Amino acid sequence: MPEQDYYALLGVPRDADADQIKAAFRRKARKLHPDVNRDDPDAEEKFKRIGEAYAVLSDPKKRAEYDRFGRVSDGGPAADFTGGIADIFEMFFGVGSARRSGPRIVDGRDLKAQVAVTLQEVVTGTHKKLSFRRMETCSECNGSGTIPGYQPETCEDCGGAGVVMEVTQTLLGHIRRTATCRRCGGEGRVNRKPCKACKGKMLEEKDVDVDVAIPSGVESGTILHLPYQGDDGVNGGRPGDLYVVVNVQEDARFIRDSKGLLTQVEITYPQAALGATVRLQGVDGEFDLVIPPGSQPGQEISVREQGIPAMGSTKRGDLRVRLVVRVPRELTDYQRHLLEQLQKSFTGQTTDSKTGGFFEQFRKSVRTEK
């Protein structure tokens, strides 16, 4: 038995033809590419293994040797594929390849999607399953665009070049120029028996699910780039990319500004004057907030590591808590008596001319908030 089952790696039967092997490699390469699986430390090794599998099974001589002995003679249990994976990937995804005559290489379209996250998910980072539709290589014809067993015919007008020479008569004489062949549309081939599933377009629309890693500290409007997750290309064209726009849902309890995360808490005048400990709801749970004696309206208290981390970081920032002193609209007789006695105790005390006193500061805070 082979030391490594290349057919199983690509997910094809042992009697799979060249088109099936090619299509299977494209699907696996898109799914396992290291750029798409940055959280998987084994992603590069997995991607290399499917490259090795394709390098052997796509070569008739190596495949025959592998089927017979479970290994090939030019290295290890299979071909030594180190350094060759980029060549294989470029062959199918069009990276760095020049346009050739014949079938026109068309890159796949880039796609755009949106994903919503909560403020708590921003703190920890998360994964989201994104469901959408994209164009993939037709599973019926494996991207050939024709019915099984049929090959497109070479275009009679352009001889397979995809372009024709046109001659135009002008006052200055004959002008020659090349133009896209009208008969084959630049493909160089004429498909007289198109695939019934894709109608000769080589692609079919499919529902897919893609896992999107949302980094901690992400801001609303951030665009995440997922290479090779867009539409498939045609005739070896590179698959498009997927761009995911992150929308952070608003939380009425918090404001996110350039300094970090801000919230507020209402306290009474005695709590501000005497100090207190109040229970406050944070992003991901409750905590005790210590209010020092003599706190002023509008004063902000920083609570360490209760805020939002920087983009991609695990260390959280601070949460700023703004104090709002609540002034009661109605008083009981007893409360009024106590406040009057308190006011009399202030008689003769001077007001700080620099600050304008407690209530002046409160009025300024109110005007600032407006």
Side-chain angles (χ1 to χ4, degrees):
M1 290 297 291
E3 294 183 24
Q4 191 164 226
D5 191 341
Y6 288 139
Y7 292 99
L9 281 176
L10 294 183
V12 296
R14 300 190 71 83
D15 60 351
D17 59 26
D19 287 338
Q20 289 176 306
I21 292 172
K22 177 180 177 181
F25 174 75
R26 288 172 64 99
R27 289 192 293 269
K28 291 286 186 177
R30 159 182 268 164
K31 182 179 180 181
L32 298 177
H33 193 274
D35 285 346
V36 183
N37 299 276
R38 296 180 181 179
D39 295 337
D40 185 356
D42 300 324
E44 187 172 348
E45 180 62 27
K46 293 176 182 177
F47 188 63
K48 178 182 175 182
R49 288 174 63 197
I50 65 166
E52 291 175 350
Y54 180 77
V56 172
L57 299 186
S58 63
D59 186 308
K61 292 183 179 179
K62 291 181 179 179
R63 182 179 179 181
E65 186 175 351
Y66 173 77
D67 287 344
R68 185 175 181 181
F69 302 108
R71 60 194 304 128
V72 291
S73 58
D74 55 351
D80 180 9
F81 200 68
T82 55
I85 197 162
D87 298 333
I88 293 294
F89 203 61
E90 288 175 5
M91 181 190 304
F92 286 96
F93 293 156
V95 181
S97 59
R99 191 186 186 283
R100 64 183 188 275
S101 61
R104 185 163 52 98
I105 297 174
V106 180
D107 291 342
R109 292 184 310 161
D110 292 338
L111 300 179
K112 182 178 179 181
Q114 296 190 357
V115 63
V117 297
T118 65
L119 198 59
Q120 184 172 357
E121 289 172 329
V122 171
V123 171
T124 59
T126 186
H127 284 259
K128 293 285 187 177
K129 185 176 75 172
L130 195 61
S131 299
F132 60 99
R133 297 177 70 83
R134 70 182 174 203
M135 302 301 295
E136 294 191 354
T137 300
C138 178
S139 56
E140 181 70 22
C141 66
N142 290 320
S144 69
T146 66
I147 62 175
Y150 172 79
Q151 294 294 327
E153 301 173 4
T154 301
C155 177
E156 298 176 357
D157 289 5
C158 66
V163 294
V164 294
M165 183 69 69
E166 293 185 347
V167 180
T168 305
Q169 177 68 40
T170 70
L171 295 175
L172 300 178
H174 293 85
I175 297 178
R176 296 185 178 184
R177 66 183 182 88
T178 57
T180 301
C181 178
R182 296 179 181 177
R183 178 183 292 273
C184 66
E187 293 292 327
R189 303 178 301 175
V190 177
N191 184 4
R192 302 189 188 281
K193 296 182 179 180
C195 170
K196 295 181 180 180
C198 66
K199 297 180 173 56
K201 296 180 180 179
M202 308 180 195
L203 302 174
E204 60 180 340
E205 192 173 33
K206 289 187 177 180
D207 293 311
V208 295
D209 294 326
V210 173
D211 182 74
V212 182
I214 310 296
S216 57
V218 67
E219 296 185 10
S220 197
T222 298
I223 299 177
L224 304 177
H225 177 213
L226 279 70
Y228 316 118
Q229 295 299 314
D231 287 347
D232 265 345
V234 173
N235 294 324
R238 178 191 184 279
D241 297 338
L242 176 64
Y243 293 90
V244 181
V245 181
V246 180
N247 295 316
V248 181
Q249 297 174 341
E250 291 188 3
D251 191 319
R253 302 169 300 169
F254 303 96
I255 296 175
R256 193 175 183 185
D257 57 19
S258 59
K259 296 180 182 180
L261 200 62
L262 172 68
T263 188
Q264 68 177 27
V265 60
E266 288 189 349
I267 59 175
T268 64
Y269 169 66
Q271 286 176 318
L274 301 174
T277 298
V278 298
R279 196 71 175 163
L280 188 63
Q281 180 67 45
V283 176
D284 50 359
E286 294 184 341
F287 62 92
D288 288 330
L289 175 68
V290 178
I291 301 172
S295 295
Q296 302 298 308
Q299 179 179 333
E300 292 183 0
I301 301 175
S302 291
V303 185
R304 292 179 59 82
E305 299 183 354
Q306 286 291 333
I308 299 293
M311 181 78 164
S313 173
T314 57
K315 184 178 180 180
R316 295 178 62 172
D318 297 343
L319 172 65
R320 291 151 36 229
V321 182
R322 181 174 298 171
L323 303 180
V324 178
V325 178
R326 183 174 67 250
V327 179
R329 294 181 179 275
E330 297 180 357
L331 298 172
T332 66
D333 292 342
Y334 179 67
Q335 289 170 335
R336 181 179 296 277
H337 172 72
L338 292 177
L339 285 177
E340 288 174 348
Q341 294 300 313
L342 178 61
Q343 178 61 33
K344 289 179 181 179
S345 70
F346 289 146
T347 302
Q349 294 185 7
T350 59
T351 301
D352 189 340
S353 60
K354 293 182 180 180
T355 63
F358 175 83
F359 289 104
E360 177 60 24
Q361 285 298 304
F362 177 72
R363 286 192 292 270
K364 287 181 179 181
S365 175
V366 172
R367 286 197 296 270
T368 301
E369 292 299 319
K370 289 181 178 180

